[in-house]
Amino acid sequence: MRMLSIAIPCAVLLSGYASLATQGSSEVAPSGIEPGQWELVTEMTSVEVAGAPEEILQQMRASMAEQRQTESQCITPEQARNPSANMMGSGNPAGCEFSDTIWAGGTIRLRATCRPPGSPPVQISVEGTYTARQINNRIHVAMDMPDPNGAETPMHLKLGGRMTGRRTGDCTSPQVVPGPEGNSAAPVN
């Protein structure tokens, strides 16, 4: 389960960067994203580990189902104008290096290698589409990790998921805090 505790937050983090293009006011930025308050939902939907027993895969799927994240974010006009800058700025705690970033003409494509401290590298790709008021992304995560039984050959983990977003109105607050369920977020008033 440690592999999920590493890979899922990295995927959510990267998809969250993708969501930054969706925040702000009522003007549409050159990126095509309308600033304002946005609701974003990220969930992982598939898991593959070569050679893993079905019992382990079922536990992993159950863990993924519990890690669905819903949050409300305010995207400023500045963030909407330059979503790629938000991805590569100081808010990159997983140490992600981006090899491909396209955010134009309704297409989003991000490729990154993230190196969380004390963990193996995580390959993440996000592909999707956006309009001024909606975003729809597919997330793919891959990582090699040590075999829990001590075998020299690493286990290859693949996760798949999605992140959707929709503009819900004008910004209510620029801050986001954990919601009452612990896995969601609500604006601070």
Side-chain angles (χ1 to χ4, degrees), residues 20-31 33-36 74-87 171:
L20 287 176
T22 60
Q23 306 172 4
S25 74
S26 61
E27 64 192 59
V28 176
S31 67
I33 298 300
E34 192 172 310
C74 173
I75 300 294
T76 66
E78 181 180 291
Q79 290 169 319
R81 276 191 296 277
N82 192 1
S84 294
N86 295 307
M87 289 182 285
C171 287

Side-chain angles (χ1 to χ4, degrees), residues 4 7-9 11-12 15 42-47 61 64-65 67-69 139-141 158-162:
L4 285 181
I8 291 175
V12 169
S15 67
T42 304
E43 61 186 326
M44 302 312 288
T45 57
S46 66
V47 61
R61 289 180 191 119
M64 285 185 342
Q67 294 195 32
R68 176 181 171 159
Q69 293 192 349
I139 305 165
H140 302 277
V141 179
K158 289 184 182 179
L159 297 172
R162 64 180 160 256

